[in-house]
Amino acid sequence: MPVDILVGLQWGDEGKGKIVDVLAPQYDVVARFQGGPNAGHTLEFEGTKHVLHQIPSGIFHEHITNIIGNGVVLDPIVFRTEVEKLTARGVDATRNLFISKKAQLILPSHKSLDRISEEALGTSKIGSTQKGIGPAYQDKIGRSGLRVGDILQPDFQERYQATVAKHQKIASFYQKDLEIEELEQQFFSAIDFLRTFTLVDSEYMINQALKDGKKILAEGAQGSLLDIDFGTYPFVTSSNTLVAGACTGLGIAPRHIGEVYGIFKAYCTRVGSGPFPTELHDEVGERIRQAGREFGSTTGRPRRCGWIDLPTLKYAIMLNGVTQLNMMKADVLDDFEEISVCTHYKLADGTVTDQVPHDLDKTDLTPVYITMKGWGEELRKYEAYNELPKAILEYVAYLEEQLEVSVNIISVGPDRKSTLVK
């Protein structure tokens, strides 16, 4: 069986967690392949909201094997909190959760360095969540990081202290101290907790599952436009959020890739700094924010809101080889009489293009819009895709024509049941 992959096509927060939860019953394995606790995968069912940060979204299904892959950077403190919340809701994560020994650890000093670095940037800050993710990936690339498997070694404490000493030298460059004593107590307690879980060579586990004919779903975090190589650099995350990241983040060969589910909102949002061509700074943008409850599930920060952007969507679809599209939060636009769609960019020299400039943060451009009629009624009352109002079906048909990929799911509310399949 192939590995199907689910990726976000915008700047994150597209609703990937909900779709994984909806698709999960079809799969035997759900695996996270990159990112860290800045992810906030929100699932809502039976009237309860659940937010996962590092644990795969298949954890609510007992028959599913959930794997945190080697491409993830894991914060043991956040991990313990996640597990405790699951336990309080009757979910025993120890029964079907496995963690790669090759996943990198986020240390308290990583969080401190993240904060110090962001503060030093002043008005040029990236918009980091300051959860230590960037510094952890820096150590990984610098070949000095600590991995989950290291906590099983007798010299872990010594290796930890050596890493912290190196981090203090970096902090001293900024004339700062790490100030991590309180966090360290929580960290080592969480490390003891982490040791109670099954730590595995996940690449062998996943490839054996493939040999056994198991169905596997790979779950990404953040969004394609935050990819370290192809995103709106430098306002990006620290890992490869594209489909290719699933190969390196789980240890699977490209020939095993099957369906690629691309998730996008019926509009567009972004958290933190960086370019956002269709951002709305007016009352319309605020209406979208309030209707969509567009506040970070991890940070609580208000998200920047704007109309859908087809040049960036086409770009993300191309890079990921998307085979199916899922449109989220269509109900947020219920009350709009007209809906705008950005089809192209007009550059300063008058050129009109649908390609994304490599230096989007420095490019002077104006979005080119078309306007479509809104549906003007509550979508949550509909239970079937083909019963939806004509206006939204026309909106979707236009997107399919432009993007050249079928929209197979429309989400019209946060609950599992508010997911309409074509």
Side-chain angles (χ1 to χ4, degrees), residues 29 39 73 75 116 132 134 145 174 263 273 300 400:
V29 179
V73 287
D75 184 333
I116 290 169
Y174 294 98
I263 315 300
S273 306
E400 290 178 325

Side-chain angles (χ1 to χ4, degrees), residues 20-30 57-67 91-92 95-98 205 209 214-217 416:
V20 173
D21 181 61
V22 168
L23 296 174
Q26 308 170 31
Y27 292 90
D28 303 298
V29 179
V30 175
S57 301
I59 196 67
F60 296 101
H61 302 268
E62 290 187 14
H63 77 280
I64 293 175
T65 296
N66 292 269
I67 299 174
V91 178
D92 179 9
R95 74 188 189 279
N96 62 342
L97 178 62
F98 302 84
M205 189 176 186
K214 303 289 188 182
K215 291 193 68 177
I216 301 172
L217 179 64
R416 276 178 182 166

Side-chain angles (χ1 to χ4, degrees), residues 390-404:
K390 180 182 178 183
I392 187 172
L393 293 178
E394 289 178 345
Y395 180 63
V396 170
Y398 177 76
L399 296 181
E400 290 178 325
E401 177 188 0
Q402 296 300 309
L403 302 174
E404 300 180 326

Side-chain angles (χ1 to χ4, degrees), residues 8-33:
L9 300 179
Q10 295 164 317
W11 283 284
D13 309 306
E14 298 95 348
K16 296 180 289 295
K18 176 185 177 180
I19 294 299
V20 173
D21 181 61
V22 168
L23 296 174
Q26 308 170 31
Y27 292 90
D28 303 298
V29 179
V30 175
R32 266 283 302 275
F33 64 83

